[in-house]
Amino acid sequence: MNTGVQSVEKYGQLKAVGLLIGGISSFQIGATLAKGLFPLFGPTGMVGLRVCMAALILLAIWRPTRMTLTPAAWKLLLPYGASVAVMNFCFYVALVRLPLGIVVALEFTGPLTLALTGSRRWLDLCWALFVIAGLYLLLRPETAAVAGTLHHLDLFGICAALLSGCGWIVYILTGTRMGKILDAGQATTLGMTTAGILLLPCLIPTIPTVITHPWQGGAALSVAVLSSAVPYILDMMAMRRLKPRDLGILLSMEPMLGAISGWIFLGEGLSVARWMGVLCIVVASLGNVLTAKKVTAH
């Protein structure tokens, strides 16, 4: 009997991991496509288009009713929606100033900090040191070009990426609670709609450009689907099966996928030191996963 229950729980966890991988992959592809549209719409215009279009798509699929908005949901809705708005806005502001891989790695320090917070194991001190080493390698000045590319890290971009990571922490904490109250589609729709309302000032100036450039407007719609609608639904479905700390840990592949996506799709080559910085952050998260499983096994 216990074996059957454990099998069901294991299947649910594996399914949650699959959902996360799908969401991360979709987000990275959407981010590379969005960066190509920056010259026309700008980062703030692009984030307004992406979030607002995604909200309209979700509202067409899931139509929240008054019965959906319980008092408990109302309390979480504003911080959840605001975290989505902050994450997206700061991510795009950073993306126009920094390579995709560095932005994702810096942003990821948010959920990784959440994963390490409160732990009393000595091994977690080791993983924290990996994070510090990773940040040092990512942020240290580089005076020599590597592979024909020289990246000067923009301080404002760094701050925006780190602030996006802070928004990610709030998103995880509020999203896990929303996922327990509402269906994944309903919760995602309400959160994205709230974020869209907050980002309307970014959307409005782009409307004339969308009308005169319908092809690029269609590409922006694809970004909304790939970077917002799909990953947020998959994230919410995963949140229903995972604790906040576990969710932060299992997203450990995000920085490396971001760096690889930027390299393949955008030609953003990083220096060896910065690749090592990304790897240090990934190792910190994976190390936390593996040691946590060993502890659980005992």
Side-chain angles (χ1 to χ4, degrees), residues 171-291:
Y171 168 73
I172 291 172
L173 294 174
T174 55
T176 49
R177 295 173 65 185
M178 284 284 286
K180 294 176 181 178
I181 297 172
L182 301 174
D183 172 80
Q186 297 280 351
T188 305
T189 300
L190 290 171
M192 192 64 66
T193 301
T194 303
I197 293 171
L198 295 174
L199 293 173
L200 274 176
C202 297
L203 169 70
I204 294 173
T206 67
I207 294 176
T209 306
V210 172
I211 294 174
T212 56
H213 297 77
W215 178 257
Q216 287 81 357
L221 179 61
S222 299
V223 172
V225 174
L226 291 170
S227 291
S228 293
V230 171
Y232 281 109
I233 290 175
L234 296 180
D235 280 0
M236 182 58 67
M237 293 173 68
M239 284 177 181
R240 296 172 68 89
R241 297 173 173 86
L242 298 171
K243 296 178 181 179
R245 183 174 181 273
D246 297 332
L247 184 62
I249 294 170
L250 290 171
L251 288 167
S252 58
M253 71 284 292
E254 181 99 17
M256 189 57 70
L257 286 177
I260 293 172
S261 297
W263 176 48
I264 294 175
F265 297 110
L266 299 174
E268 295 176 339
L270 301 180
S271 68
V272 174
R274 285 176 178 161
W275 273 109
M276 292 300 296
V278 173
L279 183 61
C280 281
I281 293 175
V282 172
V283 168
S285 190
L286 287 178
N288 204 334
V289 173
L290 295 175
T291 55

Side-chain angles (χ1 to χ4, degrees), residues 122-145:
W122 69 268
L123 272 173
D124 287 328
L125 175 60
C126 175
W127 309 136
L129 292 175
F130 266 96
V131 175
I132 294 171
L135 288 174
Y136 169 75
L137 290 171
L138 286 170
L139 301 179
R140 73 188 186 102
E142 293 188 345
T143 56

Side-chain angles (χ1 to χ4, degrees), residues 1-14:
M1 190 72 175
N2 290 334
T3 304
V5 173
Q6 290 177 353
S7 298
V8 172
E9 291 179 353
K10 185 176 181 180
Y11 172 76
Q13 291 181 342
L14 289 174

